[in-house]
Amino acid sequence: PHQLLFGNVTNGQCVLGDTYADYDRAYTAAESVDGVADTWDTGALRGSFNQLRKLKKLYPNIKVLFSFGGWTWSGGFGQAAANPAAFAESCYKLVEDPRWADVFDGIDIDWEYPNACGLSCDTSGPDAYVRLMSALRSRFGANYLVTAAVPAGAGPINAANYGAAAQYVNWYNVMTYDFFGAFAAQGPTAPHSALYSWPGMPTSNGQDKFYTDAAIQLFKSKGVPANKLLIGVGFYGRGWSGVPNTNGGLNQPATRCRYGHV
């Protein structure tokens, strides 16, 4: 099992996203992993980092990765890629900060998306991702895990050189979820983490094939070894209202729910 945390990327560096939650919030005994409350002793670690430390003590085989970026915090990766060695150095210093150096077993990069658009757009070129991952592997070395969350749509997969970067990672976490969802205000209704296609499957354009097998096969065609491809599946549902009672509700127009996750 692996536990992912999110950090931000600003000014070309890895930074903490929420210092209070990360290492300062005092957990009560009832909230704590081991039933022991955090202390305010000088130098004591608190917050989520201390709970992860306790969890690792209870389950020594757990590997904990510090993930940077995500949908909201990927805007800084372009600047980071302009000086990948400096970025990697900042990440190493943060992950291996003496206050919590025993907690993390590596780093996970969730850049959404290199040389493509997510919440914001990046134009750093297809090989910027390769240079970034190479620098991280060089700085962290062979004894740390270096992983990455990568897209599942053909457009962003084709935009960056994931094949060349694969040599530097232990594995890719392919984000094969949210192919369809209530973020589309009028539907269509469809599974958000489908493994294969089905008759009448909706598509948004001619390039994207919104199912998991298509993403995995595309990565393999680009030279990513199969043993470095992990499938990410969302452990949640997507909901709509006003769905016609046709075809079991699949491939139908709908009205978006107030809340997308159900």
Side-chain angles (χ1 to χ4, degrees):
H2 300 271
Q3 172 69 40
L4 300 183
L5 299 170
F6 271 105
N8 203 348
V9 179
T10 61
N11 298 319
Q13 298 187 330
C14 284
V15 298
L16 295 176
D18 187 337
T19 57
Y20 175 71
D22 288 342
Y23 64 81
D24 196 36
R25 178 184 182 272
Y27 279 70
T28 67
E31 296 170 325
S32 179
V33 167
D34 60 358
V36 178
D38 285 342
T39 75
W40 291 95
D41 295 345
T42 301
L45 184 65
R46 294 180 294 277
S48 298
F49 290 0
N50 190 40
Q51 295 305 307
L52 288 168
R53 173 183 283 168
K54 292 181 175 187
L55 190 65
K56 288 187 70 174
K57 186 176 181 180
L58 291 172
Y59 303 99
N61 291 329
I62 286 178
K63 303 296 182 183
V64 183
L65 306 180
F66 203 142
S67 187
F68 290 89
W71 181 257
T72 305
W73 284 346
S74 284
F77 275 116
Q79 184 179 356
N83 192 340
F87 171 70
E89 180 66 25
S90 75
C91 298
Y92 184 84
K93 286 183 176 178
L94 182 57
V95 172
E96 286 298 291
D97 186 295
R99 291 170 290 179
W100 49 75
D102 59 320
V103 172
F104 298 105
D105 300 282
I107 186 171
D108 178 77
I109 297 299
D110 188 357
W111 183 352
E112 302 183 25
Y113 302 101
N115 204 40
C117 295
L119 184 62
S120 60
C121 291
D122 173 68
T123 57
S124 56
D127 290 324
Y129 187 75
V130 182
R131 295 190 293 270
L132 189 86
M133 302 311 294
S134 173
L136 287 167
R137 175 55 74 194
S138 294
R139 184 61 187 91
F140 278 84
N143 293 329
Y144 285 84
L145 294 171
V146 176
T147 69
V150 294
I157 292 174
N158 288 326
N161 197 343
Y162 291 102
Q167 62 187 301
Y168 304 115
V169 304
N170 292 88
W171 64 78
Y172 286 141
N173 299 298
V174 186
M175 296 185 286
T176 57
Y177 37 80
D178 297 341
F179 286 125
F180 300 94
F183 45 78
Q186 281 79 46
T189 59
H192 66 87
S193 296
L195 181 57
Y196 296 112
S197 63
W198 63 90
M201 185 189 76
T203 57
S204 66
N205 55 56
Q207 185 182 31
D208 286 316
K209 298 178 180 179
F210 290 151
Y211 57 95
T212 298
D213 183 62
I216 298 300
Q217 297 306 324
L218 182 56
F219 276 115
K220 289 170 65 177
S221 75
K222 294 180 177 297
V224 180
N227 64 359
K228 288 192 174 185
L229 292 169
L230 273 64
I231 296 175
V233 179
F235 279 75
Y236 52 83
R238 291 288 193 178
W240 293 266
S241 62
V243 180
N245 187 18
T246 303
N247 195 33
L250 185 64
N251 306 342
Q252 301 302 308
T255 301
R256 178 168 54 195
C257 284
R258 181 180 178 187
Y259 301 105
H261 289 175
V262 294

